[in-house]
Every structure is written in C-alpha cells, then in structure tokens.
Amino acid sequence: MRDRIWAPLPLLLPWLLLPPPLWGGPPDSRRPERELEPGPLQPFDLLYASGVAAYYSGDYELAVRDLEAALRSHRRLREVRARCARHCAARRPLAPPGAGPGAELPFFRALLERARCSRSCQSQRLGGPASRHRASEDVRSDFQRRVPYNYLQRAYIKLNQMEKAVAAAHTFFMANPEHMEMQQNIENYRTMAGVEDLQLVDWEAKPHLESYSAGVKHYEVDDFELAIKYFEQALREYFNEDMECRALCEGPQRFEEYEYLGYKAGLYEAIADHYVQVLVCQHECVRELATRPGRLSPIENFLPLHYDYLQFAYYRVGKYVKALECAKAYLLLHPDDEDVLDNVDYYESLLDDSTDPASIEAREDLAMFVKRHKLESELIKSAAEGLGFSYTEPNYWIRYGGRQDENRVPSGVNVEGAEVHGLSMGKKSLPKIDRDLREGGPLLYENITFVYNSEQLNGTQRVLLDNVLSEEQCRELHSVASGIMLVGDGYRGKTSPHTPNEKFEGATVLKALKFGYEGRVPLKSARLFYDISEKARKIVESYFMLNSTLYFSYTHMVCRTALSGQQDRRNDLSHPIHADNCLLDPEANECWKEPPAYTFRDYSALLYMNDDFEGGEFIFTEMDAKTVTASIKPKCGRMISFSSGGENPHGVKAVTKGQRCAVALWFTLDPLYRELERIQADEVIAILDQEQQGKHELHINPKDEL
C-alpha cells in the first residue's frame, strides 16, 4: 500500500497558493453525514484544491475534512441546480400549462430556426461566413469616429480629386469638430479646386437628422407647409432608423464581468443575461438616434420636439385635427405640460360641430412607440431586481430642448398678429461657478517662477509657473516612469486612446509606491512622485486663494510617444479639445455639466518633466474648439494650472517625435470625490514614515539593515 503519492513540484504550486476553505458539502457513505454549516455554499473546486494541498503537506486530518467538504459541496450544487430548474420550469413555463412533455420544444425550435435563418441570410448576402467580419474594438471605434475619411481626403488630394477631398474632409470633420486643422484643410481644398462656394456634403449624414434640421429652418421663417413636410419625413426616417438600430443590437454583446460563452452559466441564465443586454441596447436607441456625430450628449427632448413643432405648424395651416393629434402625442411623453394642455383645449374649440374631440387620439406612430418603450423599461427594471444588477432609467425626454416661444396658443389670442420667434435648440446652461474667482496668492516655495496669469493667458483662472521641479527631479521622475508605466493605463489598456499615431502610457501614484516598496523601482523616486504632486496641490490651492481644502480627484503620470512611420502630414491632436468637468459642445458653444463628464472636478494642473520631443504644445481654445487663445511649450519643471470647467477648453497638439511626459493632476473641493488610491497612498506614506522614524531611533543604517 502506498502511503503517499508524490507529484512534481510545479503541479503542486497552484494548490499551495490557494486559500484555505471555510466549510464543506456532501456526505461520505462510510461516514456519518455532517450537517451543512450556515452561510453561503463554498465552491467545491476551492475546497478540493485545499484538500489536495493539505494531503501533499502531510496534514491528513485537514485533507479529509476539506475533501469530504468538497464532495458535499459538489453534491449540494447539483441538487440546487436541479431543484431550481424544476421550480422555474413550473413557475415560468415556456409553453401553456398542461401542454404535456416537450411543450417547450416549439419555443426552442423557433429560437434555433431564427438563429439559423440569421446566419444563413448573412452568409448568403455577404458571400461567406459572417464570422469573417468580426472586427476588433479599435477598428469599430475608428469607423464610428469616421477615421477612414481622414485617410480618404489625403488620398483624393494625391489623385487631384478636389471635390471628393472636400467631401471626405467635411464628412470626417462633422464627427470630429475638435479637429482644428481639418476645417482649414477644407477651405484650402476648395480654394485649390477653384470652387469657393462648393456645397459641403456629409457622406455619412443621418437622414432623420438632416430632415429634422430642414424642418426647423423652414419653421423659423414661417414656411409651415415645408416645415410639416420635412418634420413628417424626419419621423418616417426616425422610425426606420430605430428599427435598424434595434436589429443591430441583436449582434454580439460585450459582457463586463466575463466573456460571452466563456463563463459557466446555466441555459436560462445565459439566455436572460444576453437578452437583457440586447434589450438595454435597444432601449438606448432613443439616445443613439438623438445624438449628432461627434457629440457625447443627445439633442434633449428630440423625439417629442417633432410633435411639438408639428402641432403648431398644423395649427398655422388650419389643419386642427392633425394639430390636436400631434399635441396629444406630445402629452404622451409630457402629460403634465400645462401649455400643451391649454393648446389641446384651444384646438378642440376650433373643431367643427360634427367632430367629437374625444374621438381624436394621439398619433398612432408615437403611441405604439411609447407603449413599447414603457414595457421595455418595466422589463429591464424587473430583470435588474431579479438578476441582481444595477440599472437606473435615464430621463430620455428632458425638456430643456424646448423652443423659446414655446409655440403655445392660449385661447382668444390672434395668432396671425402675434409675433412667433425662432427656435432654441439649447440645452440647460452650464451652472455658474459657485465660488469667488480669485488668483494671485503666494506660491509657497522658493525658486518657483511666476510666468503668466489669466489675463496674459487670455482666459479665466489660469496660471503658468516655472521651476516647480528641478532638473534633477525631472530626470529622476522620467527614470521611474520607464519602470512603472503601463500601456493604455486609465483607458482600459488601449494603446492609442486619443490618436493612432501615438502610444499612451500611464501610472498612478499608488502603483509607483507599490513598485518602490517591492524594490522594482527606487523607493525614493516613487516617493518623489507622491511628494511633487502634493506640492502642486498646495500651490494651486494657495495661488487661486481657495477658502476650502482642495482634494486630489485623480493623479496620473502620463507619457505620449510618437510612433515612427506615422508622422507624415499629421493633422490630428495628441489629445482632442475638451473640458475637464463638462461635455464640450462646440457647435452650441456650450459645455454641459452632466454625466459622463467628471462634474466634480474643480481645478486641473499639468506638471511637465521634459522637453526633448517635437510638437506636444498644450493649447487653450475658445468654446468653438478651434480658436486658440494660448499655446504653451512644455519643459522640465513647468506647470500649467486652471479651473476645470467650460471656461477652459484645452488639448494637446500632436507629438511628432520623441516622448512627452507629465504628471496630470485633477482636484476637487468636494471631499466625497477624493481619490481612493490617493487615500491609500497617504496610508502607505504614513507607514513608511513610521518605519523610517523607528530606524532612526534604533540608530539603524538603512543600507545595513539587511
């Protein structure tokens, strides 16, 4: 009999590294069954691993306990899964009750036939399997941002096809309004082609948005017949686009916690999980169809506005029944709108005696849409509660996007003689800064050189300082950067999150301290990263004369490296024009302080580490994202700081040679949004200081402590 079975050490290491188990599962037939301990059922694989590890270490009592527990856990898991399957089949049948065995098969047959039809249809129409067309996320992102048109416009120039070059450049520019040089390219191409008045064409224009804009223009000049024509056309195109958007949602989905089909969920869990993600995607088509290319936020109240325009336009051309239908349609989404309720009363008073006002119902197209939208919302909320995920229903029908005149028609008003003003597509205005704007406070540290203030930088709440770092500190930081940087850090690992022509790398202060503590980089250098960021925080807080504490919101050491072979005739930016706490909308000349913007950020700072590169100038612009108000050349020890709102749009020009490194800092006045990693870094520093103090008290030389 063999008392012990030996295995090679590499095979044992995975078991030895696993944590010990807490309790166990099914019985051994040779032993009396032990009752399951209270609490969650422990995974049988972890129990088994721990039991095997205990066996090879000679702890047989522990091995027996854990291996028995693993068997019980495995059996219990099978019992639970089988019981739940029977329970859910009885409570949530896929076929009518009493239909007999196999009653669910028609449902799955229809499901399988749908899948086979979809695959066959795509294969036939594509001339091959659809799997050949599964592109990477980066490629899909390029097409969404219309990057191919940037290449096209250059190619057309090479071929001397000026009109096409203009169209391609304009198509790219419409989705990339922050691209400062593209608009100039368009003008240059038109001049070269000798057609200054060449009509600009967006080859990727969304028809429903184009028709909507045309309707607005005709409405503004009181051409209500044409306005009606284009708004009705926009609605037809909108609902067609909605069907297409929903169909595309049925494609592969990205699972946040696991890869599709790579996890071990049961049949109904897998179906439900995928379907809910498809359903949420389809529900979000409302937002997708209301968002112009290159914009982050949708046109607010977009779909209801069609009916709001139409109700008044139909009234102005004397079609009161249609006006009433559109007004009632608008009320489906805004039932408490008092002005439209008044309009409904007024339109009803204009109907002839043969028409019963109660027989006039809301437009069927919107009524069906709203019914489905509400059912989807209820289903998603129910799924979130039942399946245990978080979901908050967005407000898709915010009414900030109303008209200035509101197009209200109170009873008794002579509209023919009344003034009807133009439309306002504006959204809610950026809230004013709720603090005193002051600057010029002390810089706190010797050797720091004041360079420019807000006035000299042509803006608000801006300051440029030099010598915040010494040359030696810059070299030390640049050296530690090479040891801690991770490609795509902060951008889900994307190598080139802002431009395909540069590599982006980053690291947080906590990561630097961790690497320093592990000896992977000098601890002194990692500590320097922490110290200089705290120095910058104190300077910003003092210079802008803030009355409350300024907290770290995010601390990030970043390097941008020009990729060789990709710098010829570059006309993009290293970092597009943006604001740090609001969504910049250059077309509306506004900045919307709403998610997904980091609305809690109050001040920003960039501390530069080097200047041995080409390009990479930091620029401020007007809110149009094109007019440059200040340009700053980075160099060692230079720091630019500014308030984070829409008053300070900024970006980075292309780095065309070498590597540009800086410490990027964002601050908040709200302690609720303090950087968690910074708090952890503070704790690490406190421990290190305590250890260092103990060494000095014991007269230990750190170099000899080992």
Side-chain angles (χ1 to χ4, degrees), residues 118-119 121-137 139-140 143 248 251-252:
S118 176
R119 174 171 294 186
C121 176
Q122 291 186 42
S123 295
Q124 289 179 12
R125 292 172 184 267
L126 294 173
S131 58
R132 295 176 57 234
H133 301 273
R134 292 174 183 169
S136 69
E137 183 180 346
V139 172
R140 292 197 301 270
F143 274 73
L248 291 175

Side-chain angles (χ1 to χ4, degrees), residues 190-210:
R190 293 168 74 176
T191 302
M192 292 165 64
V195 280
E196 295 288 336
D197 59 345
L198 181 67
Q199 183 68 33
L200 296 178
V201 178
D202 180 0
W203 284 336
E204 295 285 344
K206 296 181 178 181
H208 70 287
L209 289 174
E210 295 292 297

Side-chain angles (χ1 to χ4, degrees), residues 464 466 607-613 615-618 631-640 652 655 660-662:
L464 182 65
D466 277 346
L607 184 54
Y608 298 108
M609 295 156 49
N610 67 317
D611 60 3
D612 54 341
F613 55 88
E617 292 88 351
F618 177 93
S631 179
I632 295 148
K633 177 68 177 175
K635 69 174 186 177
C636 167
R638 172 163 285 179
M639 185 175 87
I640 179 71
V652 179
V655 178
R660 173 192 191 270
C661 294

Side-chain angles (χ1 to χ4, degrees), residues 146 168-180 182-183 186 295 626:
R146 302 186 180 181
H170 178 68
T171 301
F172 174 81
F173 181 70
M174 292 303 294
N176 299 272
E178 80 286 350
H179 203 290
M180 297 192 310
M182 188 57 72
Q183 190 172 33
I186 294 171
R295 308 298 187 271
K626 293 181 288 189

Side-chain angles (χ1 to χ4, degrees), residues 290-305:
T291 304
R292 296 183 184 276
R295 308 298 187 271
L296 294 175
S297 296
I299 301 170
E300 289 172 352
N301 207 29
F302 179 63
L303 182 58
L305 272 175

Side-chain angles (χ1 to χ4, degrees), residues 502 560-562 567 570 574 610-617 633-634 652-660:
E502 297 175 19
R560 305 166 186 271
T561 307
Q567 304 305 315
R570 271 190 69 180
S574 176
N610 67 317
D611 60 3
D612 54 341
F613 55 88
E614 294 180 7
E617 292 88 351
K633 177 68 177 175
V652 179
K653 286 189 174 182
V655 178
T656 56
K657 185 178 180 180
Q659 184 183 67
R660 173 192 191 270

Side-chain angles (χ1 to χ4, degrees), residues 27 38 42 71 99 111 157 223 277 290 348 379 388 410 499 524 532 613 666 684:
Q42 295 299 307
L71 292 168
L111 196 69
I157 285 296
D223 190 347
Q277 298 219 19
E348 289 179 344
L379 186 55
T499 168
K524 173 176 171 290
I532 61 99
F613 55 88
W666 292 272
V684 172

